[in-house]
Amino acid sequence: MQKKWWGLSLSFMLAAGIAGCGGNNNGNGGTATKAPEAGTASPAATAAADTEGAASEPVQLKYWTDDRHDQEYIKELINTFNETNGENIQVELTVMSENYAQSVDIAFTSNQAPDVLRLKSGNTGEFVKKGYLAPIDGYLTDDIKTKFGSVIIDNVNRFDGKVYSLANTGLTLRLIYNKDLFDKAGIANPPASLQEMVEDAKKITEAGKAEGVYGFALNFKSPKSAFDRSIREILSLSGYQGLGFDLKTGQFDFAPYSQTIEYFKQMYEDKSILPGAETLDIDPLRAQFAAGKIGMYLSFSTEPGVYKDQFPTDINWAGALAPTLDGQIKGTSEIVSAGTWLGISAKSAHQEAAWKFMQYMYGDDVLKTYHEKGFGIAVVPSIVEQAKNPEIAGMEGFLVGEHDSLWPAVPNVTPEGATYADAFFKYILAGGDAKAITEDLNTRYNAALSKAVEKGEVKVTPDAAFDPLKPQGE
Amino acid sequence: MIYKWKRLGENSLFLMPSIILTITLGIYPLVWMLRYMFYDYAGYGEALFIGLDNFSRLIRDALFWESVRNTFVFAGGKLLLTLPLSLLLAVILNGRLRGSNLLRGIYFMPTVISTAVISVVFYNIFNSYNGMVNTVLMKLHLVSQPVDWLGPKHAMLTVIIVAVWGAVGNYMLLFLAGLQSIPQDLYESASIDGANAGRRFWNITLPMLAPVAQMVIMLAIIASLKGYESIMVITEGGPIGKTEVMYLYLYKLLFPVSTGSPVTQQLGYGSAVGFASAVIVGAVTGLYFFFSRKMNKVY
C-alpha cells in the first residue's frame, strides 16, 4: 500500500513537472518572428555590447498584428530595428491569423500581453475601455505633434483627451467597375448618381446575362460588411454621415440611408444583382469580378492589391468615386480605418523601449515606403506630400484626392434587435414599410445611444454647424 | 475501516483530474453565466445589476424567437431525414453484404471530417452563380435558371441537407452496434416459424433495438437543437435570418465579429439567451424521455 501511495505521488509530481515545462507560445496560433537570442545577437548589437564591455540582457518586446498583407516588409523593418536601435531592444513579431481581438483579450487576462499592438478603428475604442493601452502623450514632441496633429481625432486615436495611437494609412472607398462590361453595354462613364447606377446595372445585365454577367454585386452574406463598404461612402459623398448618425443633431437618423436603400432594392427587383449575392462572401465576389462576371461593386482601397496577388486578372477595371443620391457631390468621401496604427500596452514593463520602436516605425522613410509599396494609402499630410504613387494597377483610382477626408468618429452603440444593415437588407429582399423600418431603427438606435450616454460609455456633442464638405473643420 | 478509507483516498485521487476539469470547465462557467444573466455586462468595465431586464428583453426579442422557430424547423427536418436513413443503412450493412466494411467507412467519413471543411465544400456545391448542383441541373436541362439554393426560399433546406449528410454515418454506426447485439437465434426461430424479412424487422429488430434507439434519438435531438457550426460557415444565419438558429444567435451575441466598425459583446444578455436556450433544449429532451419511456422496456 505504501508503495502505491509513493507511486501515485511520484506520478503527480511528474505530471505537474511536465505541465510546468510546457512552452509558452502565447497560445495564439500566430506565427512569430523571433528576435535573435541574447547569445546570438545581431552583429551590430554584439559590437555595441563588446565596446561597452558588458553584455547586458536585451529588452525583449512583443509586437502583435493581424495584418498579413504587409508582413514581409514589417519583418524587414523589425530586423533592421533590432540590429540598429543601439539600445539592445529586440522586437519579436507575431502575426495573427484569426480572432485577433479575442487573442488580445486572452493575453491581457492571462498576463501575457504584447508590448506593442496593431490597432484598428474597429478595436481601439474597446481596447482603451478595457484598459489595455497606455497613453502616449508624454512622448509626443512638438515635431510629432506638428506631423500628426491634423490626424489626431477624438474617439479614433484620442479618448478623453489622451492620445493612444498615431495615424499611418487609411482606406478610401470607391466604386470598382469593369470597363469592358461598361463599354459592351454602351456606357461611357461610371455612374454619378444612384439612378444612373440602377440603369447601368440593368444595361450590363441585359448585355451579358447570357454569359452569366450581372451588373452589380455586394457581399451580402454579411449585410453590415456590404453596406459599410458601399452605402457609407455613397452617403458621405452625398453630405450625410455614412453609418446613419446625424452629426448636426447628435442623434441617429436613418432617413438618408433609407433613400439609398430604395435604389439597391430596385437593382434587386430588376434582377441586376448577381444571383446568390444574398450569401456571397467578399472573396468569392472578388473571384467573380476577376473572372469578368460582375459589372460593378463598391469596396476599399485594398482591392488593387487583391487583384495583383490574390485574384490576378486580365480584365480592364478601375476605381471611381462612388455615386451620390442625386449626382451632386455635397460632402466628402470618408477615409475609413485611419488614425490608428500602433499602440503601447498599459501592462508593458518596457514602455520606453516600446515607444522607441514606435518612433522608428513612424519615421518618414517607413511611412513613405509603406504607401509606395501599396500596403495602404498615406493620410499623414507630410507623407502624402513626399511619397510617390504606388505602382499597382488600379491604385490611381483610390488615391486620396480633393473629395476625400476624414470624418468625425460616431458613437458605437448596440441596439436591441436587428441592426440597420439586417433590417434594411430584409427590406430589400422581402419588402415592407420603409418608413416604419426607418422610424423603428431611429427609435432603437437613439434609445441605445441614450443608454450609452447615461452609462458614460459615449459622449455626444451635436455640431449644428457641421459642414460635410469640411468634416474636420477648416 | 482504515482500509476502506485508504481505498476511498486512492479512488478520489484517480478521479481528481476529472473532478477538477468538470469544476473548472463545466460548473464554474455555468455559475458565472447564471450570475451575469442579471447584469448588463460587455465583458469589461463595470457590470451593472439590472435584475430581470435581460429576461424582459428576451421575451420581446423577435430575433430570438425567430431563431427558436428556425431551430425547430432545422432540427425537425434533420431528424426526420437522418434517423430513418441511418437506420435503413444500418439494417442494410448489417446483412452479409460484400464490401460492407468499406461502405461503413465511407458513410462514417463525414463524421471525421471537420465541419468547417464540409461546410465550405457544400457552399461551393450549392452556390447559385457557379455551384456544381446548378451546373449539373442546367446541363441536364432540368432548370433554365440557376436555383438560388442559398437564397431566402431554399437556404433552410440546403443547410438541412448538409446536416443530414454529416450526421447519417454517425447514427448509422450506433444503430449498427445495436443491431449486432440482437441474438441471431431470434431471427432463426422466426424464419423457422415462416416470418418474412418485413415481419422479422417489425417484430424482432425494432422492439429489440428500442433501448438503443431511445438513446440514439435523444442524442440526435440534442445535437440537432444545438447544431449551428455548418450554418455559420454556409449562410451565417442568413439570408435575412432565415437560417439563424438559437445557438448561432447566442454565438453572435457572445462573440460578435467586427467587419470594420466596432462591435460590443453582450455577455449579460447572451447569458440570459444561453440559459433560455438550455432550458428549451432541456425541456424538449425531458418531454422526449417522458413519451419514449416505454422504449426502454427490453422484450
Side-chain angles (χ1 to χ4, degrees):
Chain A
M1 187 50 64
Q2 199 78 355
K3 276 183 185 175
K4 273 190 190 176
W5 279 105
W6 274 112
L8 279 170
S9 308
L10 196 63
S11 303
F12 265 106
M13 283 195 296
L14 274 171
I18 288 163
C21 291
N24 169 19
N25 64 353
N26 301 326
N28 54 49
T31 53
T33 302
K34 282 268 182 226
E37 294 294 326
T40 55
S42 60
T46 311
D50 285 348
T51 50
E52 285 166 22
S56 57
E57 278 291 300
V59 176
Q60 297 283 358
L61 294 181
K62 287 188 283 183
Y63 168 45
W64 282 16
T65 178
D66 60 340
D67 281 340
R68 297 182 293 280
H69 69 294
D70 61 356
Q71 62 177 302
E72 292 309 316
Y73 177 55
I74 298 294
K75 276 179 197 171
E76 271 176 47
L77 290 173
I78 286 175
N79 287 338
T80 307
F81 176 79
N82 288 345
E83 289 169 10
T84 59
N85 66 70
E87 294 185 29
N88 209 5
I89 303 167
Q90 296 295 302
V91 178
E92 179 192 310
L93 168 71
T94 300
V95 181
M96 299 284 177
S97 51
E98 297 295 335
N99 296 335
Y100 177 66
Q102 280 92 335
S103 301
V104 170
D105 283 340
I106 292 164
F108 273 90
T109 309
S110 57
N111 279 326
Q112 298 180 5
D115 303 275
V116 182
L117 298 97
R118 167 69 164 109
L119 302 176
K120 290 183 177 173
S121 55
N123 58 33
T124 310
E126 295 288 302
F127 288 175
V128 169
K129 282 181 196 169
K130 290 175 180 180
Y132 294 172
L133 301 178
I136 54 173
D137 301 79
Y139 303 112
L140 302 181
T141 60
D142 288 345
D143 285 350
I144 292 171
K145 284 176 185 169
T146 306
K147 181 174 166 182
F148 293 97
S150 64
V151 279
I152 289 179
I153 305 162
D154 280 328
N155 300 318
V156 172
N157 47 24
R158 182 172 51 201
F159 296 84
D160 294 328
K162 292 173 185 166
V163 178
Y164 291 88
S165 185
L166 297 169
N168 172 12
T169 59
L171 296 169
T172 55
L173 280 142
R174 297 288 186 261
L175 176 97
I176 294 136
Y177 67 107
N178 182 324
K179 287 177 166 181
D180 297 332
L181 294 180
F182 270 64
D183 289 344
K184 193 179 167 187
I187 307 162
N189 297 306
S193 70
L194 288 178
Q195 187 54 45
E196 277 179 42
M197 185 172 85
V198 171
E199 287 161 10
D200 291 352
K202 201 172 180 176
K203 284 178 192 168
I204 293 164
T205 307
E206 281 165 2
K209 201 174 173 180
E211 291 100 53
V213 170
Y214 288 82
F216 190 84
L218 271 174
N219 55 320
F220 288 121
K221 187 174 185 177
S222 166
K224 192 168 188 316
S225 172
F227 290 152
D228 287 1
R229 72 179 67 225
S230 57
I231 291 179
R232 181 175 190 171
E233 214 58 14
I234 290 165
L235 285 173
S236 69
L237 260 181
S238 304
Y240 302 101
Q241 202 286 326
L243 299 172
F245 189 72
D246 186 343
L247 290 151
K248 290 180 181 177
T249 61
Q251 291 282 292
F252 281 94
D253 177 11
F254 287 97
Y257 214 104
S258 170
Q259 285 178 54
T260 311
I261 287 291
E262 293 296 344
Y263 294 95
F264 281 68
K265 188 173 183 352
Q266 189 58 54
M267 284 195 290
Y268 184 74
E269 284 166 4
D270 291 346
K271 296 194 167 27
S272 305
I273 296 178
L274 183 81
E278 302 98 327
T279 46
L280 200 62
D281 255 328
I282 189 65
D283 276 347
L285 181 150
R286 286 161 170 162
Q288 291 302 302
F289 183 78
K293 301 289 185 188
I294 296 169
M296 58 185 150
Y297 71 106
L298 291 107
S299 193
F300 301 99
S301 48
T302 46
E303 304 307 273
V306 165
Y307 295 121
K308 175 174 171 275
D309 300 323
Q310 205 177 339
F311 300 106
T313 180
D314 297 326
I315 65 166
N316 188 14
W317 70 276
L321 277 180
T324 59
L325 271 165
D326 57 2
Q328 304 294 310
I329 293 178
K330 296 172 183 171
T332 56
S333 182
E334 185 180 5
I335 301 169
V336 300
S337 296
T340 57
W341 191 31
L342 307 181
I344 298 174
S345 160
K347 289 194 176 180
S348 172
H350 309 291
Q351 291 186 5
E352 293 281 343
W355 170 251
K356 178 95 184 166
F357 171 60
M358 257 179 82
Q359 225 178 344
Y360 161 80
M361 293 292 275
Y362 277 106
D364 280 15
D365 282 347
V366 172
L367 298 190
K368 199 157 66 83
T369 312
Y370 199 90
H371 170 91
E372 287 170 355
K373 283 179 177 277
F375 295 132
I377 294 177
V379 294
V380 181
S382 61
I383 304 299
V384 175
E385 276 172 29
Q386 53 181 303
K388 296 190 200 91
N389 287 343
E391 288 180 8
I392 294 182
M395 187 56 100
E396 61 281 358
F398 291 85
L399 298 173
V400 174
E402 58 172 330
H403 295 297
D404 297 288
S405 72
L406 296 165
W407 278 59
V410 300
N412 167 42
V413 300
T414 308
E416 287 186 15
T419 64
Y420 60 84
D422 289 336
F424 279 130
F425 187 53
K426 191 170 186 174
Y427 171 68
I428 290 173
L429 262 57
D433 183 346
K435 195 166 179 283
I437 292 166
T438 306
E439 281 169 6
D440 172 57
L441 283 168
N442 289 346
T443 305
R444 287 190 293 107
Y445 270 82
N446 286 322
L449 180 65
S450 302
K451 198 172 155 188
V453 169
E454 211 174 293
K455 281 167 74 179
E457 289 174 353
V458 163
K459 283 194 184 77
V460 177
T461 314
D463 179 5
F466 175 76
D467 181 358
L469 287 163
K470 293 173 189 161
Q472 287 297 326
E474 288 307 316
Chain B
M1 192 67 194
I2 292 169
Y3 175 73
K4 270 189 183 177
W5 279 109
K6 278 190 175 179
R7 277 302 295 269
L8 190 66
E10 275 179 50
N11 294 343
S12 305
L13 215 49
F14 278 110
L15 284 172
M16 203 56 77
S18 301
I19 292 168
I20 290 168
L21 284 173
T22 306
I23 290 168
T24 52
L25 301 177
I27 295 167
Y28 172 72
L30 193 67
V31 172
W32 185 94
M33 190 202 79
L34 290 171
R35 178 190 162 210
Y36 279 110
M37 290 190 310
F38 306 102
Y39 285 82
D40 178 5
Y41 185 48
Y44 59 86
E46 195 192 352
L48 196 70
F49 182 77
I50 52 169
L52 295 172
D53 281 8
N54 280 329
F55 291 96
S56 60
R57 178 181 164 184
L58 182 85
I59 288 161
R60 62 174 189 271
D61 185 352
L63 294 178
F64 173 69
W65 295 110
E66 197 181 331
S67 78
V68 173
R69 191 186 64 86
N70 288 337
T71 302
F72 282 102
V73 172
F74 173 74
K78 184 183 167 183
L79 291 170
L80 284 174
L81 290 169
T82 305
L83 293 170
L85 197 58
S86 52
L87 179 59
L88 180 70
L89 285 172
V91 170
I92 292 168
L93 292 181
N94 196 37
R96 304 251 179 266
L97 259 188
R98 186 178 288 183
S100 62
N101 282 341
L102 176 70
L103 287 172
R104 235 178 266 180
I106 290 169
Y107 291 132
F108 189 69
M109 191 72 76
T111 313
V112 180
I113 304 170
S114 142
T115 308
V117 172
I118 289 170
S119 307
V120 170
V121 170
F122 271 98
Y123 175 84
N124 288 315
I125 287 171
F126 280 106
N127 79 45
S128 303
Y129 49 92
N130 65 353
M132 203 175 77
V133 173
N134 277 338
T135 308
V136 170
L137 291 175
M138 287 173 81
K139 281 264 191 292
L140 296 172
H141 299 289
L142 293 171
V143 295
S144 56
Q145 288 291 315
V147 179
D148 199 356
W149 291 107
L150 301 172
K153 278 184 191 165
H154 306 297
M156 182 56 90
L157 174 68
T158 305
V159 296
I160 287 172
I161 290 169
V162 178
V164 169
W165 186 85
V168 158
N170 192 24
Y171 298 124
M172 176 204 74
L173 217 65
L174 295 170
F175 279 130
L176 205 54
L179 288 171
Q180 286 171 350
S181 68
I182 301 172
Q184 284 300 307
D185 337 352
L186 292 174
Y187 290 109
E188 286 162 14
S189 309
S191 298
I192 291 164
D193 291 342
N196 61 20
R199 195 71 194 264
R200 289 199 298 270
F201 176 77
W202 192 255
N203 289 98
I204 298 169
T205 308
L206 280 184
M208 294 299 286
L209 198 63
V212 173
Q214 188 197 26
M215 289 312 295
V216 171
I217 294 168
M218 185 203 73
L219 291 171
I221 288 171
I222 294 171
S224 301
L225 292 172
K226 286 173 69 180
Y228 69 93
E229 299 89 343
S230 69
I231 297 175
M232 191 162 76
V233 176
I234 297 171
T235 63
E236 263 181 45
I240 54 172
K242 292 286 181 187
T243 58
E244 183 112 305
V245 289
M246 219 159 45
Y247 277 81
L248 179 57
Y249 182 63
L250 170 63
Y251 181 90
K252 286 178 177 178
L253 288 170
L254 297 179
F255 308 105
V257 177
S258 170
T259 54
S261 47
V263 289
T264 306
Q265 286 173 292
Q266 299 181 67
L267 293 187
Y269 184 57
S271 298
V273 169
F275 176 75
S277 305
V279 166
I280 290 168
V281 174
V284 172
T285 312
L287 280 172
Y288 163 74
F289 259 121
F290 178 76
F291 287 114
S292 68
R293 61 194 186 279
K294 281 187 178 175
M295 288 172 79
N296 225 347
K297 190 179 169 188
V298 182
Y299 287 90

